[in-house]
Amino acid sequence: MHIHIGRDIYDKPVKITASKNLTLTNILLESSRNKGIDLISVIDCHAPAVQQEIKQLISQGDAIELSDGGIRFEKVTLILGSEIEVYDEHCKGPIHVLLYLPTLSAMEHFSEWLAERMKNITLSSQRYYGTAKELQYKVKELNGLFIPAHVFTPFKSLYGKGVTKSLVEVFDPDLIDGIELGLSSDTSMADQIQELHDFTFVTNSDAHSLAKIAREYQEIALKEPSFKEFNWALHQVANRRIIRNFGMNPQLGKYHKTVCNNCLTSLATDVTECPKCGSHKIIKGVFNRIQELKTGENTMTHRPPYLHQVPLEYIPTLGPKTYKKLLERFGTEMNVIHNATIEELVETVSDKLAHSIIQMREGKLKINAGGGGKYGSIAPS
């Protein structure tokens, strides 16, 4: 539920740091055919050119707008989303938020409103000039959903820089529909913070390339994939709910540990100077930030299971040709990661690689933790 657009229908950049082949149509094809996902959100749908591409797909008969919200393309439903940067007088630093709207007309209306409060609406994750609560009110006026994004990331997030201690410093908690954990944390880490106990946790990829789609995702009990059903699941209505969260081991995230920004040496929490190079530029890791914020041990019992997974691209010896061979045999990457047996894998790839996939599934691969903007990695066996 957090996928970026690299290029729009006119080959103009949307998310500048995203891959050029990360177009709306490519995202839909990858999600439907290779990843095996039923419900996604592209969070750059506020950009007018992205809306034009959606309209083009509908006019060509390749997509239809659902009565319960969302755009159906082949086997996948697209929820129209937007990622926005909030930095009002109540924020200690910039905060990224996600919002989801039910219809194309609602997103077009929102874009018109946003264009008067943003310098460049054609780009992703731009700063919005207004208060956080005004943005929440607008989203709710349009029957939308509001979720703070990657809430512990050291930069541009709720707890990373945005607030000293509590989300109420900036937001109206009654108008928040969920919390996105981000790649460097998981449920057990986040539930050490009491004020988060009442919110549904979502685990999303924040994909900047096609390969990154579904590195984190959630399994949801829905009648069908649509905006209405997703909304109900976030609020546990009529037995709709998140069944399981799937996320990378937090150590694989870019900001799990505290490091020196200059030489990437791992540091203790309270260090203000790197003992190796003398730099004072310290990037606090998510693990250490949660230790500062926590209000007690995790005592939650109603959370769905959080299953750690490692995307196939993290396995050092698995290249594009092998990836293609696995998809041809098992259909989707999720089937390879979670369902294929060791016997089936050995029939398709080398014995060593097959066992690496099983070890990865069982959490037995050694991980070098990430930090300071550098992803963690699987240690060579």
Side-chain angles (χ1 to χ4, degrees):
M1 301 301 291
H2 188 153
I3 304 172
H4 283 284
I5 296 278
R7 294 277 168 158
D8 65 21
I9 197 171
Y10 303 110
D11 199 33
K12 300 293 185 183
V14 181
K15 183 69 173 181
I16 294 172
T17 56
S19 170
K20 291 182 180 180
N21 70 351
L22 200 62
T23 65
L24 175 69
T25 300
N26 284 346
I27 289 167
L28 292 168
L29 289 169
E30 177 73 11
S31 300
S32 176
R33 299 181 184 181
N34 294 338
K35 297 293 185 179
I37 308 173
D38 301 301
L39 187 71
I40 64 168
S41 179
V42 169
I43 46 78
D44 297 321
C45 290
H46 62 273
V50 176
Q51 295 168 19
Q52 289 177 28
E53 187 167 356
I54 294 170
K55 290 179 180 178
Q56 185 179 87
L57 290 171
I58 293 173
S59 67
Q60 292 170 177
D62 294 322
I64 58 169
E65 188 160 17
L66 304 177
S67 59
D68 283 339
I71 309 293
R72 179 69 52 79
F73 175 94
E74 294 185 354
K75 299 176 182 178
V76 68
T77 296
L78 167 70
I79 302 299
L80 306 175
S82 178
E83 182 174 28
I84 293 172
E85 183 174 303
V86 175
Y87 196 2
D88 66 21
E89 60 182 3
H90 303 290
C91 301
K92 308 299 181 186
I95 301 172
H96 280 195
V97 299
L98 303 172
L99 60 93
Y100 305 97
L101 296 175
T103 64
L104 189 54
S105 62
M107 184 59 77
E108 288 177 309
H109 177 94
F110 179 73
S111 293
E112 292 175 7
W113 179 85
L114 192 62
E116 299 176 356
R117 297 161 177 82
M118 183 176 285
K119 289 183 178 179
N120 191 344
I121 198 164
T122 67
L123 295 178
S124 172
S125 313
Q126 296 299 289
R127 182 176 174 183
Y128 146 80
Y129 291 88
T131 71
K133 289 182 180 179
E134 286 171 344
L135 179 60
Q136 287 185 286
Y137 299 151
K138 188 63 183 180
V139 171
K140 292 306 172 183
E141 176 190 317
L142 296 171
N143 299 312
L145 301 169
F146 187 93
I147 297 178
H150 44 73
V151 294
F152 299 112
T153 303
F155 307 106
K156 299 184 177 180
S157 79
L158 175 60
Y159 294 112
K161 292 286 186 183
V163 299
T164 304
K165 277 299 240 185
S166 173
L167 59 83
V168 299
E169 295 169 35
V170 176
F171 297 121
D172 180 342
D174 292 333
L175 302 182
I176 292 177
D177 298 284
I179 295 290
E180 185 186 64
L181 296 183
L183 304 182
S184 297
S185 66
D186 60 15
T187 295
S188 63
M189 293 170 67
D191 264 336
Q192 295 176 76
I193 302 170
Q194 175 114 29
E195 69 175 0
L196 296 182
H197 287 184
D198 292 335
F199 298 107
T200 295
F201 289 160
V202 293
T203 42
N204 297 319
S205 66
D206 194 357
H208 287 50
S209 68
L210 291 174
K212 295 291 191 294
I213 294 174
R215 60 183 171 178
E216 298 208 342
Y217 66 101
Q218 41 269 309
E219 180 183 355
I220 314 178
L222 305 173
K223 184 178 179 182
E224 62 178 3
S226 69
F227 177 90
K228 174 184 172 182
E229 292 281 323
F230 178 57
N231 182 15
W232 283 14
L234 290 176
H235 299 281
Q236 291 98 53
V237 174
N239 208 33
R240 274 65 160 185
R241 67 197 189 283
I242 291 181
I243 300 172
R244 294 186 291 182
N245 291 96
F246 291 85
M248 296 199 310
N249 185 309
Q251 294 183 68
L252 287 171
K254 291 196 292 185
Y255 299 105
H256 184 71
K257 63 182 180 179
T258 296
V259 301
C260 168
N261 193 35
N262 183 50
C263 67
L264 296 181
T265 298
S266 297
L267 302 172
T269 314
D270 54 354
V271 170
T272 58
E273 180 180 306
C274 176
K276 183 176 181 180
C277 71
S279 174
H280 292 273
K281 295 181 179 179
I282 309 300
I283 300 179
K284 187 178 294 180
V286 168
F287 177 84
N288 297 120
R289 177 57 171 148
I290 289 176
Q291 296 308 299
E292 293 177 351
L293 293 166
K294 73 176 185 178
T295 49
E297 295 304 317
N298 176 13
T299 57
M300 299 295 287
T301 58
H302 70 272
R303 292 285 185 204
Y306 191 109
L307 279 71
H308 289 157
Q309 68 173 23
V310 181
L312 294 178
E313 66 168 335
Y314 276 81
I315 298 178
T317 58
L318 199 157
K321 290 183 180 179
T322 305
Y323 180 77
K324 183 179 179 181
K325 187 187 297 185
L326 285 166
L327 287 187
E328 287 174 350
R329 170 69 192 273
F330 299 105
T332 69
E333 184 173 353
M334 297 307 110
N335 274 337
V336 178
I337 292 173
H338 298 292
N339 302 321
T341 66
I342 183 64
E343 293 79 14
E344 291 171 332
L345 288 167
V346 167
E347 291 174 0
T348 311
V349 296
S350 71
D351 186 79
K352 182 179 180 180
L353 182 55
H355 280 88
S356 291
I357 293 172
I358 296 300
Q359 286 180 304
M360 174 189 74
R361 183 185 300 166
E362 296 174 348
K364 294 179 179 178
L365 291 181
K366 187 176 185 300
I367 296 174
N368 298 316
K374 183 179 180 181
Y375 286 111
S377 61
I378 301 296
S381 56

